[in-house]
Amino acid sequence: MFRFRRLLCISGCLLALASCSKNSKDTLPEPAAASLSAQAQAFVPVTETFTRPGSPFSFKLINNSPDFTLVTKTALVDLFFDVYPIMVAYLNPNAQKEVTVIIQPGHEYPGSASNGIITIDAAFINANPINIDVLTHEVTHIIQEYKVGPHFMAEGIPDFVRYMINTRSAAPGPIFGALEPRPLSTGYNVASRFLVWIEKRVLPGAVLDADKACRAGTYTPKFWWTRTGRSIEQLWTIYTANSNYEGPAITLPPYVPVPGGILSDGAFKIINTMSLLTPDISRASTNDNADFMQWHYEGNMNQLWQLIHQGGNWYRISTGHSAKVLGAVGNNIQQMEWTGNDQQQWKPVQNPDGSWLFINKQTGLIWDVANANNTAGSRIILGHQHGGSSQKWTLTAL
């Protein structure tokens, strides 16, 4: 199952580094002319802890790479003490005071944060001086400490914070360029730019309040409905039509739902009447081919659903964590980017006992727990209606 202590990774490359001062007498030797294998055999991992006078913060560095240079180490330590204190003050004053960073050869990602510890790939940070900016991204995850939250918040907040408080960066130039033709589910820079637009032009304070709700474990997709009268997907549609994040405040037009829907637009908890389990996107994946299955209800974003009426009682059903929608692929149900096709539209039909069916517009088939299995992890597929409880669902508006 998905947990917010999962690896939260930075992708992409950064640009040029200003020189940084040396701040520790315990240094690692520059690579000598000996072969790499000889260096590796002779190298002993080094652990150092750095502090600054008057600062409550400390930086613990565990270096497992023989190629990690003094210049890069000094720049990394200096960057930490430049950015971490002001980011903590802006986002979460209760964030941990000591941060541990491991320089690890052969790490799977350029950088990741898990269980309060940051791991940085040695080859990545050694490749280019500007790559020290990976630290700024990953310490944001340490500060976030999310209990729940969607992917676009988890990975969008780091560059949002960099922009809003203008943290020092090794890479010159603006953080954001023109609007990229990628969906909100991409996260990272795409989501960061969108969050700045909300904060500066739609509703100041809303993004920071959403961040607090993710940290407290109280965030649900209803947050944006409550604060702006729109779902996050609807805000994204407005943004893509006018994506300039600098400019005067925008007054959102009154929201007029498509009339005639059997359910009011909003966020819902859904439970299967047979298994008492909830629909779930496996491991909170943002991939289009992720399994649609049932799992124990834990209130995670990949278990909460937004229904928006499209007309004729057909609804768009989007996942709380990825901002993607449910669609039919043969007899399977998968998440995907919204296009408005019939495969992505669903009709809720209420049974005499008060439970609901979900009918797909393209296939005419309905949600059904495969093989009527009560087990957590069983897939939810499309089946012909037979009246069994494996096809019946309760809806609770959030």
Side-chain angles (χ1 to χ4, degrees):
M1 270 303 296
F2 171 83
R3 295 288 185 273
F4 265 88
R5 291 184 297 183
R6 76 194 191 285
L7 296 180
L8 297 169
C9 308
I10 183 171
S11 61
C13 277
L14 311 161
L15 296 173
L17 168 69
S19 60
C20 297
S21 62
K22 176 178 176 181
N23 64 5
S24 171
K25 64 181 181 181
D26 299 320
T27 61
L28 301 178
E30 294 291 339
S35 69
L36 181 62
S37 59
Q39 289 181 44
Q41 291 172 4
F43 176 75
V44 177
V46 177
T47 298
E48 301 170 275
T49 298
F50 301 87
T51 59
R52 293 286 169 86
S55 173
F57 302 104
S58 61
F59 183 75
K60 183 177 181 180
L61 182 65
I62 301 173
N63 176 36
N64 294 325
S65 170
D67 300 319
F68 187 60
T69 67
L70 170 62
V71 171
T72 303
K73 179 178 73 172
T74 301
L76 197 68
V77 173
D78 285 347
L79 182 64
F80 172 82
F81 284 104
D82 280 350
V83 303
Y84 192 70
I86 61 174
M87 293 174 73
V88 166
Y90 180 72
L91 205 62
N92 176 18
N94 296 318
Q96 65 189 59
K97 297 298 187 289
E98 180 178 86
V99 174
T100 298
V101 172
I102 302 172
I103 306 300
Q104 185 63 44
H107 189 53
E108 183 179 4
Y109 305 104
S112 65
S114 180
N115 298 320
I117 297 174
I118 294 168
T119 304
I120 298 175
D121 179 61
F124 174 78
I125 201 165
N126 290 331
N128 192 321
I130 64 169
N131 288 355
I132 64 168
D133 277 352
V134 67
L135 178 71
T136 307
H137 182 100
E138 298 304 334
V139 296
T140 311
H141 293 318
I142 300 295
I143 298 167
Q144 284 173 295
E145 296 180 340
Y146 284 178
K147 292 183 174 67
V148 299
H151 178 71
F152 74 86
M153 283 291 295
E155 295 297 352
I157 285 292
D159 278 352
F160 166 85
V161 173
R162 288 180 63 204
Y163 179 87
M164 294 299 295
I165 62 177
N166 193 28
T167 58
R168 178 171 77 82
S169 174
I175 294 175
F176 307 123
L179 177 66
E180 299 180 55
R182 294 189 290 162
L184 178 59
S185 59
T186 303
Y188 297 99
N189 197 271
V190 172
S192 302
R193 194 182 193 277
F194 172 57
L195 293 174
V196 170
W197 175 81
I198 292 176
E199 188 71 14
K200 300 197 75 172
R201 301 199 64 189
V202 178
L203 189 61
V207 174
L208 292 179
D209 286 346
D211 169 80
K212 291 183 178 70
C214 291
R215 189 158 38 256
T218 59
Y219 178 95
T220 75
K222 187 180 179 181
F223 177 89
W224 301 103
W225 290 97
T226 302
R227 295 299 297 271
T228 70
R230 297 290 195 284
S231 72
I232 196 67
E233 294 88 354
Q234 291 167 332
L235 289 171
W236 175 258
T237 298
I238 297 169
Y239 162 74
T240 55
N242 181 11
S243 62
N244 186 356
Y245 53 87
E246 294 285 2
I250 295 172
T251 301
L252 298 176
Y255 176 55
V256 180
V258 177
I262 191 172
L263 293 168
S264 298
D265 291 356
F268 292 82
K269 170 185 175 181
I270 303 175
I271 298 291
N272 182 257
T273 63
M274 173 195 69
S275 64
L276 302 182
L277 301 174
T278 188
D280 179 294
I281 298 296
S282 179
R283 300 181 183 276
S285 171
T286 57
N287 297 330
D288 286 348
N289 59 354
D291 285 341
F292 184 54
M293 63 178 194
Q294 62 180 3
W295 196 260
H296 303 287
Y297 180 75
E298 298 168 329
N300 292 328
M301 294 301 99
N302 54 318
Q303 300 177 333
L304 300 177
W305 307 93
Q306 293 189 90
L307 274 66
I308 301 176
H309 185 225
Q310 304 300 303
N313 268 332
W314 296 104
Y315 285 76
R316 159 184 177 168
I317 302 179
S318 59
T319 64
H321 74 292
S322 70
K324 292 186 176 183
V325 301
L326 296 179
V329 180
N331 287 340
N332 296 318
I333 303 172
Q334 297 179 357
Q335 67 175 358
M336 58 187 67
E337 296 298 336
W338 170 251
T339 62
N341 293 336
D342 286 354
Q343 71 175 136
Q344 299 175 333
Q345 298 192 45
W346 307 87
K347 180 178 286 186
V349 176
Q350 193 164 29
N351 296 307
D353 62 5
S355 65
W356 296 83
L357 307 176
F358 288 98
I359 303 173
N360 181 255
K361 189 173 186 179
Q362 181 184 71
T363 66
L365 302 177
I366 67 175
W367 289 13
D368 189 5
V369 178
N371 302 316
N373 196 325
N374 281 319
T375 306
S378 298
R379 293 172 60 220
I380 302 170
I381 60 173
L382 290 171
H384 295 281
Q385 184 174 348
H386 54 62
S389 58
S390 65
Q391 300 180 331
K392 295 182 178 181
W393 310 85
T394 62
L395 274 66
T396 303
L398 300 177

